[in-house]
Amino acid sequence: MVAQGGEVNGNWSETSRNIGGSIQGHGANGSFQVIAQAAGFSSSIALKTAGNKQQIAMKADSQFRAANISLSK
């Protein structure tokens, strides 16, 4: 992925299921909102980093519906 001028673009892959696709969105200052897409799959992903914490929220339109992940160091 590449973040430039507030825009995020790139590719993703998940090797155990042999699937991959594109990522597009925007972000700055440790906060990103992107859409990951592949054939028959779409997921919105929000990532926020502040200090020693990260929060990730994913919502998809497939069997995998959603995940909320909080990490701290």
Side-chain angles (χ1 to χ4, degrees), residues 33-61:
Q33 300 279 331
V34 299
I35 301 290
Q37 295 181 315
F41 176 80
S42 178
S43 175
S44 65
I45 303 168
L47 169 67
K48 183 176 182 178
T49 300
N52 64 348
K53 296 182 181 181
Q54 279 189 330
Q55 293 181 315
I56 304 149
M58 299 174 65
K59 293 182 183 175
D61 62 357

Side-chain angles (χ1 to χ4, degrees), residues 53-71:
K53 296 182 181 181
Q54 279 189 330
Q55 293 181 315
I56 304 149
M58 299 174 65
K59 293 182 183 175
D61 62 357
S62 66
Q63 291 178 1
F64 170 77
R65 295 283 181 212
N68 291 299
I69 303 165
S70 294
L71 305 170

Side-chain angles (χ1 to χ4, degrees), residues 5-44:
E7 297 296 317
V8 177
N9 293 295
N11 296 303
W12 65 274
S13 65
E14 204 283 276
T15 56
S16 68
R17 295 177 191 218
N18 195 28
I19 188 170
S22 64
I23 291 182
Q24 297 180 344
H26 62 277
N29 302 320
S31 183
F32 296 89
Q33 300 279 331
V34 299
I35 301 290
Q37 295 181 315
F41 176 80
S42 178
S43 175
S44 65

